[in-house]
Amino acid sequence: MSVPIVVVGAGLAGLRVAEQLRAAGDTGLIVVIGAEAHPPYNRPPLTKDALRAGVDAAKLIFRQKPSTADVEWRLGRTVTGADLVNRTVTLDDGETLAYRGLVAATGVGPRRLPLDAPLAWRHVIRTLDDATALREELRPGARVAVLGAGFVGTEVAATAAQLGCEVHVVDPLATPLARSLGELVGSEIRRRHEEHGVTFHLGRSVTAMTGRDDRPDTIFLDDSSALPADVVVEAVGSAPNVAWLEGNGLALGNGITCDVHLHPLGPDGPVHDVVAVGDVANFPNPLFSAEPQRIEHWSWPTETAGHAARSLLAKIALDPPSGTAFTPLPTFWTDQYGTRIQSLGMPGLGLEDVRVLEGEPTGECAIGYHVDGRLVGVALIGLVRQLLAYRTQLLDARAIAVA
Ligand SMILES: Cc1cc2nc3c(=O)[nH]c(=O)nc-3n(C[C@H](O)[C@H](O)[C@H](O)COP(=O)(O)OP(=O)(O)OC[C@H]3O[C@@H](n4cnc5c(N)ncnc54)[C@H](O)[C@@H]3O)c2cc1C
């Protein structure tokens, strides 16, 4: 059997990179190994429509293109180790697989609060199976404690409120979504949640959780208050899935730190027969910063897969890597109470200088985020049709900034 390109992770990034390897002309064997039993599926509905209406795997699984019909999928299998010198990966049953190129597409997993309470009733929401389990508990009148007021937490809160649950959101920061979109947008999102009956406990941390049998009962906060809860959802951030790459001298502190061509940085420089894609890749984007950035957006697997595939194939053929700068524009959306909120660029870099560009925060608006007076990100509340105009404005501003 010929030696394959091995893709570790069968999420959106794994799927897109397999497509892009074929689009770039590779005709050899590709093996995609995924820890979940499901073929690649769409995660954003797991906190939105699918959580509200019921989780139907058939509606979420991505359609596969004819170009990837001969790709070998090994699902329900976890890669436990990699040897980048001898070019092999090890699977959970001890099998060792040689590769001619390796793609890290392992995404992130949910973080957990360091509390002594059974994981059995502490819901997280990353996978289709997580969403199925949570959906069963979101009955009208259920008291739901959402721990974390980031995107996942606020989306779950909105859906639970719409399903008739009594929702409480706890977060140590003073404003929801403050780190990604700042005070102005975060306060407005809080106001919209409160209009729908959600109660926030901000500036508060969870000190303990207790439960009876297989259910939670009380959440204790650091101001000595106690929240009764029937359902607990931990939405306290993510941790990149990188343990399988340990022992190879890579920089794995925040995902897989890569060069601009998405090759991981090893002890002797970039590892040219390996690339990282999607949520797990941490790489510099000259459009915004020389510092590597790791981004968890649905658009990112698609944005990174083509460049990663070409980088990998160029090196396998021992061609010099392309000198063209790779400068993708991050884009993100969240849907809350029927309003689409979108972000372009990197608003989180420009939280010190936030300006209303158009409209009113209490209605539809565009908010600009600046560094050194130049636009670095835009958030749109509503104003869906203005997306392309702001995209152009942002790219123009960044072109001036990096010139
Ligand atoms: C609930 C939810 C809602 C979201 N909503 C939005 C949204 O509204 N807008 C938006 O822009 N983005 C959203 N996102 C983010 C978006 O879905 C992600 O950015 C995208 O899924 C990343 O794709 P990925 O393939 O890099 O990682 P993943 O989708 O996480 O896929 C990685 C896969 O690798 C597998 N894996 C991990 N380790 C191993 C291993 N060692 N061996 C084998 N397999 C392994 C994992 O099991 C997983 O299946 C949301 C994410 C979630 C979880």
Coordinates of all heavy atoms in Angstrom, one line a residue, residues 136-180:
E136 N -32.0 17.3 25.8 CA -33.0 16.6 26.6 C -33.3 17.2 27.9 O -34.4 17.0 28.5 CB -32.5 15.2 26.9 CG -32.5 14.3 25.7 CD -31.8 12.9 25.9 OE1 -31.5 12.6 27.1 OE2 -31.5 12.3 24.9
E137 N -32.4 18.1 28.4 CA -32.6 18.7 29.7 C -33.3 20.1 29.7 O -33.7 20.6 30.7 CB -31.2 18.8 30.4 CG -30.5 17.6 30.4 CD -30.2 17.1 31.8 OE1 -30.9 17.6 32.8 OE2 -29.4 16.2 32.0
L138 N -33.3 20.7 28.5 CA -33.8 22.1 28.4 C -35.3 22.1 28.3 O -35.9 22.5 27.3 CB -33.1 22.8 27.2 CG -31.6 22.9 27.3 CD1 -31.1 23.7 26.1 CD2 -31.2 23.6 28.6
R139 N -36.0 21.7 29.4 CA -37.4 21.7 29.4 C -37.9 23.0 30.0 O -37.2 23.7 30.8 CB -37.9 20.6 30.3 CG -37.5 19.2 29.9 CD -38.1 18.1 30.6 NE -37.3 16.9 30.3 CZ -36.4 16.4 31.1 NH1 -36.0 17.0 32.2 NH2 -35.7 15.3 30.7
P140 N -39.1 23.5 29.6 CA -39.7 24.7 30.1 C -39.6 24.7 31.6 O -40.0 23.7 32.2 CB -41.1 24.8 29.5 CG -41.0 23.9 28.3 CD -40.0 22.8 28.6
G141 N -39.2 25.8 32.2 CA -39.2 25.9 33.7 C -37.9 25.4 34.3 O -37.6 25.7 35.5
A142 N -37.1 24.6 33.5 CA -35.8 24.1 34.1 C -34.9 25.3 34.5 O -34.8 26.3 33.8 CB -35.1 23.2 33.1
R143 N -34.3 25.2 35.7 CA -33.3 26.3 36.1 C -32.0 25.9 35.5 O -31.3 24.9 36.0 CB -33.3 26.4 37.6 CG -34.7 26.8 38.2 CD -34.8 26.5 39.6 NE -34.6 25.1 40.0 CZ -34.5 24.6 41.2 NH1 -34.7 25.4 42.2 NH2 -34.3 23.4 41.4
V144 N -31.5 26.7 34.6 CA -30.3 26.5 33.9 C -29.2 27.4 34.3 O -29.4 28.7 34.2 CB -30.5 26.5 32.3 CG1 -29.2 26.3 31.6 CG2 -31.6 25.6 31.9
A145 N -28.1 26.9 34.8 CA -26.9 27.8 35.1 C -25.9 27.6 34.0 O -25.4 26.5 33.8 CB -26.3 27.4 36.5
V146 N -25.6 28.7 33.3 CA -24.6 28.7 32.3 C -23.4 29.4 32.9 O -23.4 30.5 33.3 CB -25.1 29.5 31.0 CG1 -24.0 29.5 30.0 CG2 -26.4 28.9 30.5
L147 N -22.3 28.6 32.9 CA -21.0 29.2 33.5 C -20.1 29.6 32.3 O -19.6 28.8 31.6 CB -20.4 28.1 34.3 CG -21.3 27.3 35.3 CD1 -20.6 26.3 36.1 CD2 -22.1 28.3 36.2
G148 N -20.0 30.9 32.2 CA -19.2 31.5 31.1 C -20.1 32.3 30.1 O -21.2 31.8 29.7
A149 N -19.7 33.6 29.9 CA -20.5 34.5 29.1 C -19.8 34.9 27.8 O -19.8 36.0 27.4 CB -20.9 35.7 29.9
G150 N -19.1 33.9 27.2 CA -18.5 34.1 25.9 C -19.6 33.7 24.8 O -20.8 33.7 25.1
F151 N -19.1 33.4 23.6 CA -20.0 33.1 22.5 C -20.9 31.9 22.8 O -22.1 31.9 22.7 CB -19.3 33.0 21.2 CG -18.9 34.3 20.6 CD1 -17.6 34.7 20.7 CD2 -19.8 35.1 20.1 CE1 -17.2 35.9 20.2 CE2 -19.5 36.4 19.6 CZ -18.1 36.8 19.6
V152 N -20.2 30.8 23.2 CA -21.0 29.5 23.4 C -21.9 29.7 24.6 O -23.1 29.4 24.5 CB -20.0 28.3 23.7 CG1 -20.7 27.1 24.2 CG2 -19.3 28.0 22.4
G153 N -21.5 30.4 25.7 CA -22.4 30.6 26.9 C -23.6 31.4 26.5 O -24.7 31.1 26.9
T154 N -23.3 32.5 25.8 CA -24.5 33.4 25.5 C -25.4 32.8 24.5 O -26.6 33.0 24.6 CB -24.0 34.8 25.0 OG1 -23.1 34.7 23.9 CG2 -23.3 35.6 26.1
E155 N -24.9 32.0 23.6 CA -25.8 31.3 22.6 C -26.6 30.3 23.3 O -27.9 30.2 23.1 CB -25.0 30.7 21.5 CG -24.4 31.7 20.5 CD -23.6 31.1 19.4 OE1 -23.5 29.9 19.3 OE2 -23.2 31.9 18.5
V156 N -26.0 29.5 24.2 CA -26.8 28.5 25.0 C -27.9 29.2 25.8 O -29.0 28.8 25.9 CB -25.9 27.6 25.8 CG1 -26.7 26.8 26.8 CG2 -25.0 26.7 25.0
A157 N -27.5 30.3 26.4 CA -28.4 31.1 27.3 C -29.6 31.6 26.5 O -30.8 31.5 26.9 CB -27.7 32.3 27.9
A158 N -29.3 32.1 25.3 CA -30.4 32.6 24.4 C -31.4 31.5 24.0 O -32.6 31.6 24.1 CB -29.8 33.3 23.2
T159 N -30.8 30.3 23.6 CA -31.6 29.2 23.2 C -32.4 28.7 24.4 O -33.6 28.4 24.3 CB -30.8 28.1 22.6 OG1 -30.0 28.7 21.5 CG2 -31.6 26.9 22.1
A160 N -31.8 28.5 25.6 CA -32.5 28.0 26.7 C -33.6 29.0 27.1 O -34.7 28.5 27.5 CB -31.5 27.8 27.9
A161 N -33.4 30.3 27.1 CA -34.4 31.2 27.4 C -35.6 31.1 26.4 O -36.8 31.1 26.8 CB -33.8 32.7 27.4
Q162 N -35.3 30.9 25.1 CA -36.3 30.8 24.1 C -37.1 29.5 24.3 O -38.3 29.4 23.9 CB -35.7 30.9 22.7 CG -35.3 32.3 22.4 CD -34.5 32.4 21.1 OE1 -33.5 31.7 21.0 NE2 -34.9 33.2 20.2
L163 N -36.5 28.5 25.0 CA -37.2 27.2 25.2 C -38.0 27.3 26.5 O -38.6 26.3 26.9 CB -36.2 26.1 25.3 CG -35.6 25.7 23.9 CD1 -34.4 24.7 24.1 CD2 -36.7 25.0 23.0
G164 N -38.0 28.5 27.2 CA -38.8 28.6 28.4 C -38.1 28.2 29.7 O -38.7 28.1 30.7
C165 N -36.7 28.1 29.6 CA -36.0 27.8 30.8 C -35.8 29.1 31.6 O -35.8 30.2 31.1 CB -34.6 27.2 30.5 SG -34.8 25.7 29.5
E166 N -35.5 28.9 32.9 CA -35.0 30.1 33.8 C -33.5 30.1 33.7 O -32.9 29.1 34.2 CB -35.6 29.8 35.2 CG -35.2 30.9 36.2 CD -35.5 30.6 37.6 OE1 -36.6 30.0 37.9 OE2 -34.6 30.8 38.5
V167 N -32.9 31.1 33.1 CA -31.5 31.1 32.8 C -30.7 32.0 33.7 O -31.1 33.2 33.8 CB -31.3 31.4 31.3 CG1 -29.8 31.2 31.0 CG2 -32.1 30.4 30.4
H168 N -29.6 31.5 34.3 CA -28.7 32.4 35.0 C -27.3 32.2 34.3 O -26.9 31.1 34.1 CB -28.6 31.9 36.4 CG -29.9 32.2 37.2 ND1 -30.0 33.3 38.0 CD2 -31.1 31.5 37.2 CE1 -31.2 33.3 38.5 NE2 -31.9 32.2 38.1
V169 N -26.6 33.3 34.1 CA -25.3 33.2 33.5 C -24.3 33.8 34.5 O -24.5 34.9 35.0 CB -25.2 34.1 32.2 CG1 -23.8 34.0 31.6 CG2 -26.3 33.6 31.2
V170 N -23.2 33.1 34.7 CA -22.2 33.5 35.7 C -20.9 33.7 34.9 O -20.5 32.9 34.1 CB -21.9 32.4 36.7 CG1 -20.9 32.8 37.8 CG2 -23.2 32.0 37.4
D171 N -20.2 34.8 35.2 CA -18.9 35.0 34.6 C -18.0 35.9 35.4 O -18.5 36.9 36.0 CB -19.1 35.7 33.2 CG -17.8 35.5 32.3 OD1 -16.8 36.2 32.6 OD2 -17.8 34.8 31.4
P172 N -16.7 35.7 35.5 CA -15.9 36.5 36.4 C -15.7 37.9 35.8 O -15.3 38.8 36.5 CB -14.5 35.8 36.4 CG -14.7 34.5 35.6 CD -16.0 34.5 35.0
L173 N -15.9 38.1 34.5 CA -15.7 39.4 33.9 C -17.0 40.2 34.1 O -18.1 39.7 34.3 CB -15.4 39.3 32.4 CG -14.1 38.6 32.0 CD1 -13.9 38.7 30.5 CD2 -12.9 39.3 32.7
A174 N -16.9 41.6 34.0 CA -18.0 42.5 34.2 C -19.0 42.6 33.1 O -20.1 43.0 33.3 CB -17.4 43.9 34.6
T175 N -18.6 42.1 31.9 CA -19.4 42.3 30.7 C -19.3 41.0 29.9 O -18.2 40.5 29.7 CB -18.9 43.4 29.8 OG1 -18.7 44.6 30.7 CG2 -19.8 43.8 28.7
P176 N -20.4 40.5 29.3 CA -20.4 39.4 28.4 C -19.5 39.7 27.2 O -19.5 40.8 26.7 CB -21.8 39.1 28.0 CG -22.7 39.9 29.0 CD -21.8 41.0 29.5
L177 N -18.8 38.7 26.7 CA -18.1 38.8 25.4 C -17.1 40.0 25.4 O -16.6 40.4 24.4 CB -19.1 39.1 24.2 CG -20.1 37.9 24.0 CD1 -21.2 38.4 23.1 CD2 -19.4 36.7 23.4
A178 N -16.7 40.4 26.6 CA -15.8 41.6 26.7 C -14.5 41.4 26.0 O -14.0 42.3 25.3 CB -15.6 41.9 28.2
R179 N -13.9 40.2 26.1 CA -12.5 40.0 25.5 C -12.6 40.0 24.0 O -11.6 40.4 23.4 CB -12.0 38.6 26.0 CG -11.3 38.7 27.3 CD -10.4 37.5 27.5 NE -10.2 37.3 28.9 CZ -10.9 36.4 29.6 NH1 -11.8 35.7 29.1 NH2 -10.6 36.3 30.9
S180 N -13.7 39.5 23.4 CA -13.7 39.5 22.0 C -14.3 40.7 21.3 O -13.8 41.2 20.3 CB -14.4 38.3 21.5 OG -15.5 38.0 22.3

